[in-house]
Amino acid sequence: MTADTQTKKTKQAGSHAKRTPKPPKLLRGFRDILPEDSIFWQHAKQTAFSTLLDYGYGEIDTPMLEQTSLFKRTIGEHTDIVSKEMFTFEDKGGDSVTMRPEFTASFARAYVEHGMFNRPQPVKLFSIGPAFRYDRPQAGRFRQFNQINFEIFGNDHPVADAEIIFLSYLICKQLGLDISIHVNSLGTPESREEYVGILKEYFKSKRRLLCEDCKKRLTKNTLRILDCKEEECNQLAQSAPQLVDHLDEESKQHFVAVLEHLDESEVPYELNPYIVRGLDYYNRTAFEIFAKIGEHTEDQSESKPIALGGGGRYDGLVELLGGRETPGVGVAIGIERIIDAIKKLGQKPTSQKKPQVFLAQLGEEATKHAFTLFETLRTAGIRTRANFAKSGLKEQLEHADKLGVLYAVILGQKELLDETVIIRDMENGIQEVVDLAKIAEELKKRLKKGI
Ligand code: AMP
């Protein structure tokens, strides 16, 4: 090898080292949920899960990936979600597919696809899981977020709307949240169309004062101007004609009946004519849920209410997907927002109960037996921890100490031969030898005494 080729090789190796790609990182708007945070998640999900089961809802798990047309057809082509926020791509077969931006369309598709109209009505379904929107990431807004969704199909009575709102309230209340529900009625598609015409005329005369987004909304999604967050648009919306004044008679009666149910069940609500929801499929009842934070925090910058979720009635949705005429009503509550509110209020769900016993094993043979012994303790209801990868007694006892367990169970070579095991009281260091077969019983006796 000449000196020249040698230098060339070294140079190549050097430049190769420089080109090592950066380690992969989380995508923008996506998050990892670490164990220390997961107690909040479990708390929120389990509260919703058990409440919904108690109220007769069945869990449904629909795929995260659906045909794009499902969302275009139901949510509406001109909505923010469909026009700007969907994770849509072509799969290897050339079909356009979309990561679900919400659950209701999938529920309705599943209702039609599985002939659920043949089941006793109403059909009550719930799902807890992730949804995806390619939105600008910001505080409380992620590209993958999680929702608790529950829906009632096949009941057009106002009591169904009230049940969904009541359960939203109940779940939040059980999570320690102080909430307010803002309700409105969007009427029938016909009365809404008539109202949208009136609204268009109103905003047309004020077009130049609208924000750029609302100028676009004026022709295609006029209702959304009402809940635009821009100050100017907000001001204009305050003096706009209101939907409640243009409701058809039946929708009016329906709305009043929903409110009566809410009054009766003491759900805290307020009427809000600006709640229009961003999706095309809603009719009649529309509502949004806000967590009140202000009164509970010292830092007033943290006091803005948090939008936890929203929902409403969607009587035409199932038909839109080729099913029979089936009324529907439902809600989506954001889990990230719930957790944000819980944390802002300074609450902490009771974490998992502390472990009681640490299983320490010494030597290879004892390690082989450790899983079985661990399982004996676990199935006896004793909260046990172990570190199967360690074999030194000192470090295992240090680990036990850090966990704050009451007893360590020590299984060594000698104990294995004698079919015994050592119980060590972690407080005073006193050790006793007991029969291996009686270990669970012996520990339970001691743990009981300690209570
Ligand atoms: P929507 O269907 O847009 O009304 O959303 C219902 C609820 O889902 C919202 O009130 C939020 O709690 C939650 N949500 C919607 N989009 C996001 C997002 N990008 N990031 C976090 N939570 C969201």
Side-chain angles (χ1 to χ4, degrees):
M1 193 189 290
T2 64
D4 239 19
T5 46
Q6 174 69 52
T7 344
K8 222 176 183 176
K9 280 216 161 160
T10 323
K11 264 192 188 159
Q12 273 171 357
S15 62
H16 181 254
K18 262 187 218 147
R19 265 192 275 117
T20 308
K22 281 188 191 160
K25 292 260 166 59
L26 267 175
L27 288 170
R28 223 160 93 79
F30 287 73
R31 294 205 308 171
D32 294 316
I33 298 158
L34 303 181
E36 55 272 26
D37 229 23
S38 106
I39 52 164
F40 288 93
W41 287 81
Q42 282 170 21
H43 180 48
K45 287 199 223 175
Q46 275 165 14
T47 304
F49 194 88
S50 60
T51 308
L52 292 166
L53 285 182
D54 285 350
Y55 274 83
Y57 289 72
E59 189 180 19
I60 180 168
D61 210 354
T62 59
M64 287 178 219
L65 200 60
E66 297 264 14
Q67 288 184 346
T68 302
S69 59
L70 171 66
F71 304 112
K72 277 198 176 165
R73 199 191 288 191
T74 54
I75 298 172
E77 296 250 13
H78 302 298
T79 56
D80 284 353
I81 294 182
V82 172
S83 64
K84 297 195 272 197
E85 296 170 0
M86 293 208 302
F87 275 89
T88 296
F89 54 94
E90 220 175 74
D91 68 10
K92 288 201 165 79
D95 292 323
S96 178
V97 291
T98 294
M99 303 290 289
R100 67 176 172 213
E102 57 109 40
F103 287 63
T104 306
S106 300
F107 276 32
R109 178 201 47 70
Y111 181 89
V112 176
E113 213 157 334
H114 299 283
M116 290 196 218
F117 44 80
N118 290 321
R119 300 184 184 193
Q121 304 292 304
V123 172
K124 306 207 284 188
L125 302 171
F126 79 95
S127 196
I128 301 175
F132 304 82
R133 291 185 197 169
Y134 197 85
D135 206 351
R136 194 163 59 84
Q138 50 190 295
R141 201 160 278 284
F142 305 96
R143 288 183 173 166
Q144 177 179 333
F145 55 97
N146 292 268
Q147 289 187 333
I148 300 159
N149 274 260
F150 47 101
E151 327 254 343
I152 302 177
F153 290 90
N155 186 353
D156 63 1
H157 196 280
V159 74
D161 313 42
E163 178 176 323
I164 293 287
I165 298 175
F166 172 70
L167 284 178
S168 305
Y169 160 67
L170 191 63
I171 291 169
C172 294
K173 189 174 141 196
Q174 291 175 98
L175 291 168
L177 301 177
D178 188 5
I179 63 158
S180 170
I181 302 196
H182 292 205
V183 258
N184 191 20
S185 175
L186 303 175
T188 58
E190 297 76 37
S191 68
R192 194 160 85 173
E193 203 176 313
E194 197 185 304
Y195 168 70
V196 168
I198 297 168
L199 201 62
K200 235 178 222 168
E201 284 309 308
Y202 168 80
F203 281 121
K204 251 189 203 162
S205 61
K206 314 201 159 29
R207 191 175 185 281
R208 64 192 170 78
L209 300 172
L210 293 172
C211 72
E212 286 313 305
D213 274 345
C214 282
K215 278 187 184 135
K216 283 183 213 141
R217 287 178 183 137
L218 186 55
T219 41
K220 295 185 170 155
N221 200 3
T222 323
L223 269 185
R224 259 338 268 280
I225 304 177
L226 291 179
D227 70 356
C228 177
K229 305 287 175 285
E230 294 294 328
E231 185 54 36
E232 289 265 22
C233 305
N234 199 267
Q235 288 284 331
L236 292 177
Q238 305 276 338
S239 355
Q242 292 194 356
L243 190 54
V244 272
D245 299 326
H246 298 270
L247 285 184
D248 56 289
E249 199 43 45
E250 271 186 48
S251 295
K252 231 182 255 173
Q253 282 174 16
H254 185 97
F255 193 38
V256 170
V258 173
L259 300 181
E260 282 169 0
H261 279 288
L262 296 182
D263 286 331
E264 205 56 42
S265 38
E266 296 183 5
V267 173
Y269 72 86
E270 42 193 279
L271 301 179
N272 182 342
Y274 306 107
I275 299 291
V276 294
R277 310 287 297 135
L279 300 82
D280 276 3
Y281 53 63
Y282 285 111
N283 68 306
R284 294 200 169 152
T285 314
F287 65 92
E288 282 180 14
I289 309 159
F290 295 90
K292 294 189 226 163
I293 304 293
E295 301 102 83
H296 308 275
T297 54
E298 304 216 325
D299 180 356
Q300 287 305 300
S301 64
E302 298 263 286
S303 70
K304 255 180 70 186
I306 297 178
L308 294 183
R313 184 163 272 289
Y314 45 83
D315 292 339
L317 184 60
V318 170
E319 226 180 331
L320 198 65
L321 293 174
R324 294 184 191 172
E325 204 181 321
T326 310
V329 56
V331 66
I333 306 176
I335 305 183
E336 283 80 0
R337 304 280 176 87
I338 285 184
I339 293 173
D340 189 22
I342 292 177
K343 286 185 174 170
K344 285 210 168 105
L345 294 176
Q347 294 171 2
K348 201 166 188 275
T350 36
S351 55
Q352 277 185 331
K353 286 189 176 158
K354 275 181 72 169
Q356 300 163 303
V357 167
F358 189 91
L359 169 61
Q361 69 286 331
L362 305 173
E364 218 158 282
E365 282 310 306
T367 305
K368 281 183 196 150
H369 194 75
F371 286 164
T372 318
L373 182 51
F374 190 98
E375 194 50 18
T376 305
L377 302 180
R378 190 186 73 88
T379 48
I382 299 167
R383 296 191 296 277
T384 311
R385 292 286 177 276
N387 187 341
F388 300 122
K390 296 270 184 253
S391 55
L393 184 60
K394 189 165 168 272
E395 47 185 348
Q396 289 187 75
L397 289 181
E398 275 168 10
H399 190 166
D401 218 29
K402 269 193 202 137
L403 290 172
V405 294
L406 300 169
Y407 297 98
V409 169
I410 304 167
L411 181 67
Q413 214 78 341
K414 178 174 180 309
E415 287 74 29
L416 202 58
L417 285 175
D418 299 348
E419 296 194 5
T420 58
V421 74
I422 297 171
I423 298 180
R424 179 188 173 96
D425 186 322
M426 291 299 289
E427 207 172 276
N428 53 26
I430 295 174
Q431 301 198 159
E432 280 175 82
V433 177
V434 299
D435 271 356
L436 183 58
K438 290 196 181 145
I439 180 66
E441 209 179 301
E442 289 291 333
L443 278 171
K444 277 181 152 178
K445 242 194 276 168
R446 287 167 175 76
L447 289 168
K448 218 175 198 170
K449 259 194 238 155
I451 292 168

